[in-house]
Amino acid sequence: MTIFSKIIAGEIPSYKVAEDDKFYAFLDINPVNWGHTLVVPKEETDYIFDIDDATLGEMMVFAKKVAVALKKAVPCRKVGVTVLGLEVPHAHIHLVPLQKEGDMDFSSKISNPDAEKMQWIAKNIAEEFNA
């Protein structure tokens, strides 16, 4: 069981922003920018391109809805999207608020993000997602 599966199961706390029957979205605890969100399938699959086509399409539609909410909650020019997937063997999409391209530099992360700020951001994204 991956750390993401444990988060989905509620065994590990997270800053949840959205959830449906197939997918779960939460703030990255090592964000490259405030509002950096991960979208994961509830069914554990290591490599995103091993997910069947229909589910992968649904995952992107879910990620789009999260990105729309994220852009409203965390003012930015655009929301960047990337799939890296090497650090956790559970497929995931990164959504990162962008003002400039350098805002998606994964070698530069926010050190010790403030828990209150993370909770506030997660709450605002969730409210926009559910609006």
Side-chain angles (χ1 to χ4, degrees):
M1 180 178 270
T2 69
I3 190 168
F4 291 167
S5 291
K6 290 177 182 178
I7 288 170
I8 293 163
E11 296 173 19
I12 296 174
S14 70
Y15 298 103
K16 179 172 85 169
V17 300
E19 179 178 20
D20 69 9
D21 60 325
K22 290 187 176 183
F23 309 106
Y24 191 92
F26 57 101
L27 296 184
D28 191 311
I29 59 167
N30 296 302
V32 298
N33 203 355
W34 293 108
H36 179 176
T37 301
L38 300 177
V39 174
V40 301
K42 288 185 174 179
E43 183 177 314
E44 196 172 291
T45 302
D46 179 16
Y47 184 46
I48 196 163
F49 295 123
D50 286 339
I51 296 172
D52 69 84
D53 292 352
T55 304
L56 182 58
E58 291 171 18
M59 185 174 175
M60 287 304 295
V61 169
F62 181 83
K64 178 181 176 180
K65 188 174 177 187
V66 173
V68 168
L70 175 56
K71 190 171 186 299
K72 289 177 183 174
V74 179
C76 56
R77 290 178 58 199
K78 293 186 178 182
V79 174
V81 60
T82 192
V83 175
L84 299 172
L86 297 176
E87 63 278 7
V88 177
H90 190 138
H92 54 287
I93 295 170
H94 294 263
L95 300 174
V96 180
L98 303 174
Q99 295 297 345
K100 59 188 183 319
E101 288 183 11
D103 289 342
M104 205 147 173
D105 180 0
F106 282 79
S107 66
S108 177
K109 297 186 177 187
I110 296 169
S111 298
N112 301 312
D114 179 71
E116 285 184 27
K117 186 169 183 175
M118 294 284 279
Q119 289 170 343
W120 182 83
I121 291 170
K123 176 183 167 289
N124 287 333
I125 297 169
E127 286 173 358
E128 291 293 343
F129 183 85
N130 292 311

